Amino acid sequence: MIFEFEGRTEKEAIDKAAEELGLEKDNFDVEILETQRQGLFKKGYVKIRVHTAAADEPARPSAGTNDEKGMSGRGERAPAVQAGFGEPLPQTEFEGKLVAFAEGLIEHMGYSGRVSVQFRENYKLGLKIDSEFSSILIGKKGKNLDAMQLLINIYAGRLGREDIRIILDTENYRIRREESLVRLAYSAAEKVRESRGSMLLEPMNPFDRWLIHTTLNDIADVHTKSEGDGLYKQVRVLYRGLR
């Protein structure tokens, strides 16, 4: 389900979403649609869009409860992924199935590659691809990698682990992409400050747009908003005073 909330700050909007939906903050994805810093004659304003599995999904229960969310086929709660890096080989049946599924995807695309566990965190699992075809698997602006990651997360849900988010990476693309987007955000902000106008950036996935919004959130005379429909929207960077 998708919901929209507003607040004077990003934190206030997220807190409002968590309270009204009855969810933990790490149990839903947040997309920042528009942000405006507080000024002399304007109040701060942040508009967010929340993506969650169900409108009435309860907050994640603590360990040891009998809540059915996250239960295994034997009626027992599946264990949370433990935080940290460490052993790259699958340590559970769940991890083994994800690795096999990811390697199967690569094979069906016509390429070869090995998948290992990159990190383990509570309710987040990182997988890493080692392949001589990494540039192809990443694709333009990471779209191939994003598509594979989406499929793996769907598969994880079918295994009964909707509570875990799978992050797929290769050649440290995610980190390099983040650094590139931060540079792009600052460059766009500088241009609109000089022109006192606005600049529309390339279509991006929700996480990339969130990174642009948060990077520029502390620049007093610049604000941002998302435009367009579908998963890949564009971020418009505006000089304060423009709408």
Side-chain angles (χ1 to χ4, degrees):
M1 299 290 291
I2 298 176
F3 306 88
E4 292 186 359
F5 297 89
E6 298 177 3
R8 291 172 297 178
T9 65
E10 179 183 341
K11 182 179 184 300
E12 181 179 293
I14 293 175
D15 287 344
K16 186 183 297 184
E19 180 179 355
E20 292 190 17
L21 296 177
L23 299 174
E24 297 291 338
K25 295 178 184 178
D26 61 349
N27 215 13
F28 55 80
D29 291 328
V30 174
E31 174 187 352
I32 299 178
L33 298 178
E34 186 174 355
T35 179
Q36 179 175 285
R37 297 292 295 171
Q38 183 174 351
L40 182 60
F41 301 106
K42 289 185 179 180
K43 295 182 178 180
Y45 170 83
V46 176
K47 184 176 182 180
I48 66 172
R49 179 173 292 159
V50 170
H51 300 259
T52 184
D56 57 351
E57 182 180 347
R60 182 180 296 122
S62 59
T65 66
N66 292 322
D67 196 292
E68 290 184 357
K69 185 178 185 296
M71 305 285 273
S72 69
R74 296 184 300 275
E76 300 174 347
R77 179 172 175 78
V81 177
Q82 297 300 311
F85 287 82
E87 178 57 56
L89 295 177
Q91 296 298 291
T92 65
E93 181 181 358
F94 173 70
E95 291 182 359
K97 288 183 176 181
L98 289 183
V99 167
F101 181 81
E103 291 181 345
L105 278 179
I106 297 171
E107 183 178 352
H108 278 86
M109 292 171 67
Y111 304 103
S112 61
R114 301 296 298 175
V115 177
S116 59
V117 177
Q118 187 173 37
F119 65 84
R120 298 175 177 87
E121 296 179 6
N122 285 328
Y123 304 101
K124 185 181 292 186
L125 178 69
L127 300 181
K128 181 182 69 171
I129 301 173
D130 291 307
S131 173
E132 59 181 309
F133 304 102
S134 289
S135 60
I136 299 175
L137 297 177
I138 292 171
K140 185 177 181 181
K141 305 298 182 183
K143 289 188 176 181
N144 290 347
L145 195 63
D146 286 344
M148 294 174 64
Q149 179 173 284
L150 175 61
L151 291 174
I152 294 172
N153 275 277
I154 292 174
Y155 179 65
R158 291 182 177 177
L159 294 177
R161 298 308 306 268
E162 299 93 343
D163 58 326
I164 292 183
R165 184 180 180 184
I166 312 302
I167 307 297
L168 185 65
D169 199 5
T170 182
E171 298 291 339
N172 291 320
Y173 171 77
R174 301 291 183 193
I175 295 176
R176 292 188 286 109
R177 175 66 171 165
E178 288 183 24
E179 293 174 345
S180 175
L181 287 171
V182 169
R183 291 194 299 268
L184 173 64
Y186 283 128
S187 175
E190 187 63 30
K191 289 178 180 178
V192 301
R193 293 172 79 181
E194 292 176 355
S195 66
R196 295 178 179 267
S198 70
M199 181 177 179
L200 191 62
L201 304 182
E202 65 192 45
M204 301 178 188
N205 64 39
F207 178 79
D208 289 354
R209 294 197 305 274
W210 173 83
L211 190 59
I212 296 292
H213 289 304
T214 54
T215 298
L216 300 183
N217 194 43
D218 292 329
I219 299 182
D221 53 356
V222 169
H223 68 280
T224 61
K225 62 180 180 180
S226 293
E227 297 182 359
D229 299 315
L231 180 64
Y232 284 84
K233 298 184 181 68
Q234 293 175 273
V235 175
R236 184 176 294 278
V237 183
L238 305 96
Y239 182 74
R240 167 167 274 184
L242 295 177
R243 301 298 295 175

